[in-house]
């Protein structure tokens, strides 16, 4: 699946590159014995889960309030196209 992307500051990694990076990460995790459903600790970072059914303003509020510097999206809903360029509700 390559329909997702990652936005970091002003750069966007497309679905193909993201799939390649995810594959390398998955191979590394598997090499460490990590399997589907295992918990993975993140030192120095934390996840900010966001329900993809939320409206634009709600998503913007959560991202701004959390201080998230990276947004990872598996699949983009048409109503969330704004995430490709900005997390600002304006």
């Amino acid at each position: 699946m390559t329909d997702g992307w990652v936005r970091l500051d002003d750069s966007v990694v497309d679905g193909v590159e993201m799939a390649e990076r995810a594959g390398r990460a998955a191979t590394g995790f598997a090499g460490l014995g990590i399997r589907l459903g295992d918990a993975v600790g993140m030192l120095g970072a934390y996840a900010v889960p966001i329900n993809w059914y939320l409206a634009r303003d709600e998503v913007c509020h959560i991202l701004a309030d959390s201080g998230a510097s990276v947004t990872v999206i598996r699949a983009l809903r048409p109503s969330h196209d704004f995430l490709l360029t900005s997390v600002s509700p304006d």
Side-chain angles (χ1 to χ4, degrees):
M1 178 184 312
T2 60
D3 60 347
W5 52 266
V6 176
R7 180 172 185 270
L8 174 59
D9 296 324
D10 292 329
S11 63
V12 174
V13 176
D14 68 21
V16 173
E17 185 176 349
M18 184 177 72
E20 291 169 358
R21 289 181 181 191
R24 289 193 301 269
T27 299
F29 285 137
L32 294 171
I34 297 170
R35 301 291 178 248
L36 183 65
D38 288 350
V40 176
M42 298 182 345
L43 185 60
Y46 60 92
V48 179
I50 302 171
N51 185 324
W52 87 317
Y53 288 106
L54 295 177
R56 173 189 171 137
D57 290 346
E58 294 169 309
V59 171
C60 288
H61 173 76
I62 291 169
L63 290 172
D65 188 57
S66 71
S69 57
V70 176
T71 305
V72 179
I73 297 176
R74 181 169 180 261
L76 188 65
R77 293 180 65 203
S79 61
H80 293 144
D81 283 348
F82 71 94
L83 288 169
L84 290 170
T85 56
S86 173
V87 295
S88 171
D90 298 327

